Every structure is written in structure tokens, then in C-alpha cells.
Short mmCIF file of all heavy atoms in Angstrom, two decimals:
data_model
loop_
_atom_site.label_atom_id
_atom_site.label_comp_id
_atom_site.label_asym_id
_atom_site.label_seq_id
_atom_site.Cartn_x
_atom_site.Cartn_y
_atom_site.Cartn_z
N LEU A 1 181.91 123.15 77.69
CA LEU A 1 180.68 122.28 77.77
C LEU A 1 179.92 122.57 79.07
O LEU A 1 178.71 122.62 79.05
CB LEU A 1 181.13 120.77 77.74
CG LEU A 1 180.03 119.78 77.82
CD1 LEU A 1 179.00 119.93 76.69
CD2 LEU A 1 180.59 118.36 77.83
N ARG A 2 180.70 122.81 80.18
CA ARG A 2 180.04 123.14 81.42
C ARG A 2 179.36 124.50 81.39
O ARG A 2 178.23 124.68 81.83
CB ARG A 2 181.01 123.13 82.56
CG ARG A 2 181.68 121.83 82.85
CD ARG A 2 182.62 121.89 84.02
NE ARG A 2 183.32 120.75 84.25
CZ ARG A 2 184.25 120.52 85.23
NH1 ARG A 2 184.57 121.57 86.04
NH2 ARG A 2 184.86 119.33 85.39
N GLU A 3 179.99 125.43 80.69
CA GLU A 3 179.35 126.81 80.54
C GLU A 3 178.08 126.65 79.73
O GLU A 3 177.10 127.30 80.08
CB GLU A 3 180.35 127.72 79.86
CG GLU A 3 181.63 127.95 80.64
CD GLU A 3 182.61 128.80 79.84
OE1 GLU A 3 182.31 129.20 78.73
OE2 GLU A 3 183.77 129.01 80.38
N GLN A 4 178.06 125.90 78.63
CA GLN A 4 176.92 125.79 77.78
C GLN A 4 175.77 125.00 78.56
O GLN A 4 174.63 125.40 78.48
CB GLN A 4 177.27 125.05 76.55
CG GLN A 4 176.20 125.02 75.52
CD GLN A 4 176.70 124.60 74.18
OE1 GLN A 4 176.91 125.33 73.23
NE2 GLN A 4 177.09 123.30 74.04
N ALA A 5 176.15 124.00 79.36
CA ALA A 5 175.18 123.28 80.12
C ALA A 5 174.53 124.22 81.17
O ALA A 5 173.29 124.15 81.38
CB ALA A 5 175.79 122.10 80.83
N ALA A 6 175.37 125.06 81.71
CA ALA A 6 174.76 126.03 82.72
C ALA A 6 173.86 126.97 82.09
O ALA A 6 172.83 127.34 82.66
CB ALA A 6 175.97 126.72 83.43
N LEU A 7 174.13 127.41 80.84
CA LEU A 7 173.27 128.36 80.13
C LEU A 7 171.96 127.63 79.82
O LEU A 7 170.88 128.28 79.94
CB LEU A 7 173.94 128.73 78.87
CG LEU A 7 173.15 129.77 77.96
CD1 LEU A 7 172.80 130.99 78.69
CD2 LEU A 7 173.98 130.10 76.70
N ILE A 8 171.96 126.38 79.39
CA ILE A 8 170.71 125.68 79.09
C ILE A 8 169.92 125.47 80.41
O ILE A 8 168.71 125.68 80.39
CB ILE A 8 171.04 124.35 78.45
CG1 ILE A 8 171.67 124.56 77.10
CG2 ILE A 8 169.77 123.45 78.27
CD1 ILE A 8 172.14 123.35 76.38
N ARG A 9 170.58 125.09 81.48
CA ARG A 9 169.89 124.90 82.73
C ARG A 9 169.33 126.18 83.34
O ARG A 9 168.39 126.19 84.14
CB ARG A 9 170.87 124.22 83.75
CG ARG A 9 171.13 122.76 83.43
CD ARG A 9 171.67 122.09 84.67
NE ARG A 9 172.98 122.62 85.04
CZ ARG A 9 174.13 122.17 84.67
NH1 ARG A 9 174.13 121.10 83.86
NH2 ARG A 9 175.28 122.74 84.99
N SER A 10 169.87 127.35 82.92
CA SER A 10 169.34 128.61 83.43
C SER A 10 167.90 128.88 83.03
O SER A 10 167.27 129.69 83.56
CB SER A 10 170.24 129.74 82.93
OG SER A 10 170.07 130.02 81.51
N ALA A 11 167.42 128.07 82.04
CA ALA A 11 166.06 128.29 81.56
C ALA A 11 165.07 127.60 82.56
O ALA A 11 163.87 127.67 82.33
CB ALA A 11 165.87 127.73 80.15
N GLY A 12 165.59 127.03 83.60
CA GLY A 12 164.72 126.42 84.57
C GLY A 12 163.92 125.23 84.21
O GLY A 12 162.78 125.04 84.62
N GLY A 13 164.52 124.41 83.34
CA GLY A 13 163.77 123.20 82.86
C GLY A 13 162.88 123.43 81.66
O GLY A 13 162.24 122.53 81.24
N ALA A 14 162.84 124.61 81.16
CA ALA A 14 161.95 124.92 79.96
C ALA A 14 162.54 124.29 78.71
O ALA A 14 161.88 124.10 77.72
CB ALA A 14 161.82 126.40 79.79
N ILE A 15 163.89 124.01 78.74
CA ILE A 15 164.49 123.46 77.57
C ILE A 15 164.82 122.00 77.77
O ILE A 15 165.51 121.65 78.69
CB ILE A 15 165.80 124.22 77.20
CG1 ILE A 15 165.50 125.72 76.98
CG2 ILE A 15 166.50 123.66 76.00
CD1 ILE A 15 166.78 126.52 76.70
N ARG A 16 164.35 121.14 76.90
CA ARG A 16 164.71 119.75 76.85
C ARG A 16 165.83 119.56 75.85
O ARG A 16 165.88 120.26 74.87
CB ARG A 16 163.55 118.87 76.53
CG ARG A 16 162.51 118.78 77.72
CD ARG A 16 161.41 117.75 77.37
NE ARG A 16 160.44 118.26 76.41
CZ ARG A 16 159.48 117.55 75.91
NH1 ARG A 16 159.33 116.30 76.24
NH2 ARG A 16 158.67 118.11 75.00
N THR A 17 166.70 118.64 76.14
CA THR A 17 167.87 118.42 75.23
C THR A 17 167.70 117.06 74.44
O THR A 17 167.12 116.12 74.87
CB THR A 17 169.18 118.36 76.02
OG1 THR A 17 169.11 117.26 77.02
CG2 THR A 17 169.40 119.62 76.73
N LEU A 18 168.21 117.12 73.20
CA LEU A 18 168.34 116.01 72.34
C LEU A 18 169.77 115.85 72.01
O LEU A 18 170.45 116.71 71.47
CB LEU A 18 167.52 116.20 71.09
CG LEU A 18 166.02 116.47 71.16
CD1 LEU A 18 165.40 116.78 69.89
CD2 LEU A 18 165.29 115.20 71.81
N LEU A 19 170.30 114.70 72.33
CA LEU A 19 171.73 114.36 72.18
C LEU A 19 171.99 113.82 70.77
O LEU A 19 171.42 112.79 70.44
CB LEU A 19 172.23 113.42 73.22
CG LEU A 19 173.69 113.03 73.17
CD1 LEU A 19 174.61 114.16 73.22
CD2 LEU A 19 174.06 111.99 74.25
N VAL A 20 172.82 114.50 69.98
CA VAL A 20 173.12 114.05 68.60
C VAL A 20 174.39 113.22 68.64
O VAL A 20 175.45 113.73 69.20
CB VAL A 20 173.28 115.21 67.72
CG1 VAL A 20 173.53 114.77 66.25
CG2 VAL A 20 172.10 116.17 67.76
N LEU A 21 174.34 112.01 68.17
CA LEU A 21 175.44 111.05 68.25
C LEU A 21 175.91 110.71 66.83
O LEU A 21 175.17 110.49 65.93
CB LEU A 21 175.05 109.74 68.99
CG LEU A 21 174.66 109.93 70.43
CD1 LEU A 21 174.12 108.62 70.98
CD2 LEU A 21 175.84 110.38 71.24
N PRO A 22 177.27 110.49 66.65
CA PRO A 22 177.80 110.05 65.41
C PRO A 22 177.61 108.53 65.17
O PRO A 22 178.07 107.78 66.03
CB PRO A 22 179.25 110.46 65.42
CG PRO A 22 179.61 110.38 66.85
CD PRO A 22 178.37 110.81 67.62
N ALA A 23 176.97 108.15 64.07
CA ALA A 23 176.74 106.70 63.88
C ALA A 23 178.06 105.92 63.62
O ALA A 23 178.04 104.68 63.77
CB ALA A 23 175.77 106.54 62.70
N ASN A 24 179.12 106.66 63.22
CA ASN A 24 180.35 105.91 62.85
C ASN A 24 181.33 105.90 63.96
O ASN A 24 182.51 105.58 63.73
CB ASN A 24 180.97 106.55 61.60
CG ASN A 24 181.37 107.99 61.83
OD1 ASN A 24 180.90 108.64 62.78
ND2 ASN A 24 182.14 108.51 60.95
N ALA A 25 180.97 106.35 65.13
CA ALA A 25 181.94 106.38 66.27
C ALA A 25 182.01 105.02 66.97
O ALA A 25 181.04 104.19 66.93
CB ALA A 25 181.51 107.42 67.32
N ASP A 26 183.13 104.74 67.61
CA ASP A 26 183.27 103.49 68.33
C ASP A 26 182.60 103.56 69.70
O ASP A 26 182.18 104.62 70.14
CB ASP A 26 184.75 103.08 68.47
CG ASP A 26 185.53 104.16 69.16
OD1 ASP A 26 185.06 104.74 70.10
OD2 ASP A 26 186.74 104.37 68.75
N LEU A 27 182.53 102.43 70.35
CA LEU A 27 181.77 102.33 71.58
C LEU A 27 182.37 103.28 72.68
O LEU A 27 181.63 103.93 73.44
CB LEU A 27 181.80 100.94 72.10
CG LEU A 27 181.06 100.58 73.42
CD1 LEU A 27 179.61 100.97 73.29
CD2 LEU A 27 181.21 99.14 73.79
N ALA A 28 183.71 103.32 72.80
CA ALA A 28 184.35 104.13 73.84
C ALA A 28 184.01 105.63 73.58
O ALA A 28 183.76 106.34 74.55
CB ALA A 28 185.87 103.90 73.74
N THR A 29 184.02 106.05 72.34
CA THR A 29 183.71 107.45 72.07
C THR A 29 182.26 107.79 72.37
O THR A 29 182.02 108.84 72.98
CB THR A 29 184.04 107.75 70.54
OG1 THR A 29 185.39 107.51 70.26
CG2 THR A 29 183.69 109.19 70.18
N LEU A 30 181.41 106.90 71.98
CA LEU A 30 179.95 107.11 72.25
C LEU A 30 179.72 107.16 73.82
O LEU A 30 178.96 108.01 74.28
CB LEU A 30 179.08 106.05 71.65
CG LEU A 30 179.04 106.04 70.12
CD1 LEU A 30 178.29 104.75 69.66
CD2 LEU A 30 178.30 107.29 69.60
N ASP A 31 180.39 106.30 74.48
CA ASP A 31 180.25 106.29 75.99
C ASP A 31 180.76 107.61 76.58
O ASP A 31 180.10 108.13 77.51
CB ASP A 31 180.97 105.12 76.57
CG ASP A 31 180.76 104.91 78.01
OD1 ASP A 31 179.57 104.64 78.38
OD2 ASP A 31 181.71 104.93 78.85
N ASP A 32 181.83 108.11 76.03
CA ASP A 32 182.36 109.38 76.61
C ASP A 32 181.34 110.52 76.27
O ASP A 32 181.19 111.41 77.14
CB ASP A 32 183.73 109.72 75.88
CG ASP A 32 184.82 108.89 76.46
OD1 ASP A 32 184.67 108.25 77.51
OD2 ASP A 32 185.91 108.83 75.78
N ILE A 33 180.79 110.55 75.09
CA ILE A 33 179.83 111.57 74.72
C ILE A 33 178.65 111.57 75.64
O ILE A 33 178.15 112.59 76.18
CB ILE A 33 179.43 111.47 73.23
CG1 ILE A 33 180.60 111.70 72.37
CG2 ILE A 33 178.36 112.49 72.94
CD1 ILE A 33 180.36 111.37 70.89
N VAL A 34 178.07 110.38 75.86
CA VAL A 34 176.90 110.19 76.68
C VAL A 34 177.16 110.61 78.11
O VAL A 34 176.44 111.33 78.74
CB VAL A 34 176.36 108.73 76.63
CG1 VAL A 34 175.27 108.51 77.64
CG2 VAL A 34 175.85 108.36 75.23
N ARG A 35 178.27 110.23 78.67
CA ARG A 35 178.65 110.55 80.01
C ARG A 35 178.81 112.09 80.20
O ARG A 35 178.42 112.69 81.19
CB ARG A 35 179.95 109.84 80.46
CG ARG A 35 179.80 108.35 80.66
CD ARG A 35 181.14 107.71 81.02
NE ARG A 35 181.01 106.30 81.13
CZ ARG A 35 180.67 105.65 82.26
NH1 ARG A 35 180.40 106.35 83.36
NH2 ARG A 35 180.57 104.32 82.27
N ALA A 36 179.53 112.71 79.19
CA ALA A 36 179.71 114.17 79.26
C ALA A 36 178.44 114.89 79.33
O ALA A 36 178.34 115.99 79.91
CB ALA A 36 180.63 114.57 78.07
N HIS A 37 177.41 114.46 78.50
CA HIS A 37 176.14 115.21 78.42
C HIS A 37 175.05 114.65 79.35
O HIS A 37 173.95 115.17 79.33
CB HIS A 37 175.61 115.13 76.98
CG HIS A 37 176.52 115.89 75.99
ND1 HIS A 37 177.60 115.31 75.44
CD2 HIS A 37 176.42 117.15 75.58
CE1 HIS A 37 178.18 116.21 74.61
NE2 HIS A 37 177.48 117.28 74.66
N ALA A 38 175.44 113.70 80.18
CA ALA A 38 174.45 113.10 81.11
C ALA A 38 173.80 114.17 82.04
O ALA A 38 172.59 114.06 82.39
CB ALA A 38 175.06 111.96 81.95
N PRO A 39 174.56 115.19 82.56
CA PRO A 39 173.95 116.13 83.42
C PRO A 39 172.80 116.90 82.82
O PRO A 39 171.97 117.39 83.58
CB PRO A 39 175.10 117.10 83.77
CG PRO A 39 176.36 116.30 83.62
CD PRO A 39 176.00 115.38 82.50
N LEU A 40 172.67 116.90 81.49
CA LEU A 40 171.57 117.63 80.84
C LEU A 40 170.35 116.70 80.63
O LEU A 40 169.34 117.15 80.15
CB LEU A 40 172.03 118.14 79.43
CG LEU A 40 173.07 119.27 79.48
CD1 LEU A 40 173.58 119.56 78.05
CD2 LEU A 40 172.39 120.52 80.05
N ALA A 41 170.50 115.45 81.04
CA ALA A 41 169.35 114.50 81.02
C ALA A 41 168.66 114.55 79.66
O ALA A 41 167.44 114.92 79.58
CB ALA A 41 168.39 114.80 82.13
N PRO A 42 169.36 114.15 78.60
CA PRO A 42 168.69 114.17 77.24
C PRO A 42 167.36 113.39 77.21
O PRO A 42 167.27 112.31 77.76
CB PRO A 42 169.72 113.59 76.35
CG PRO A 42 171.05 113.70 77.04
CD PRO A 42 170.72 113.65 78.49
N ALA A 43 166.40 113.95 76.53
CA ALA A 43 165.15 113.28 76.40
C ALA A 43 165.23 112.12 75.37
O ALA A 43 164.44 111.20 75.46
CB ALA A 43 164.02 114.25 75.91
N ALA A 44 166.15 112.29 74.37
CA ALA A 44 166.24 111.22 73.38
C ALA A 44 167.59 111.47 72.67
O ALA A 44 168.29 112.51 72.94
CB ALA A 44 165.17 111.20 72.38
N CYS A 45 167.98 110.56 71.84
CA CYS A 45 169.19 110.69 71.03
C CYS A 45 168.81 110.68 69.56
O CYS A 45 167.84 110.06 69.16
CB CYS A 45 170.19 109.55 71.28
SG CYS A 45 170.84 109.59 72.93
N ILE A 46 169.62 111.48 68.76
CA ILE A 46 169.45 111.49 67.29
C ILE A 46 170.78 110.99 66.75
O ILE A 46 171.87 111.53 67.00
CB ILE A 46 169.22 112.90 66.77
CG1 ILE A 46 167.89 113.44 67.39
CG2 ILE A 46 169.15 112.91 65.24
CD1 ILE A 46 167.62 114.87 66.97
N VAL A 47 170.70 109.83 66.06
CA VAL A 47 171.91 109.24 65.53
C VAL A 47 172.20 109.72 64.11
O VAL A 47 171.29 109.60 63.26
CB VAL A 47 171.78 107.72 65.53
CG1 VAL A 47 173.11 107.06 65.02
CG2 VAL A 47 171.51 107.18 66.95
#
């Protein structure tokens, strides 16, 4: 995940991220997913 995030950030901000979330996940799982992808500063989420 860190390697992929570094690859996306290598574009120098040209790439915005959209975080895709599972609608059937529990609160703890969703929180883990959001925290893990927070460094990429998603512009929005797709449920």
C-alpha cells in the first residue's frame, strides 16, 4: 500500500484519488480503510 501510494504521489499532485468503500463493512473495518488511505487525501468516496 505504501509502494502504491508513493507511485501515485510521484505524479506531483496530478492524480486525485477516489476511495472505494464496501457498503457491507462494519464501522471498525471502514475506519481502518479510511485511516490507511488518508495519506492520499481522497477527494471523495465511492460506496
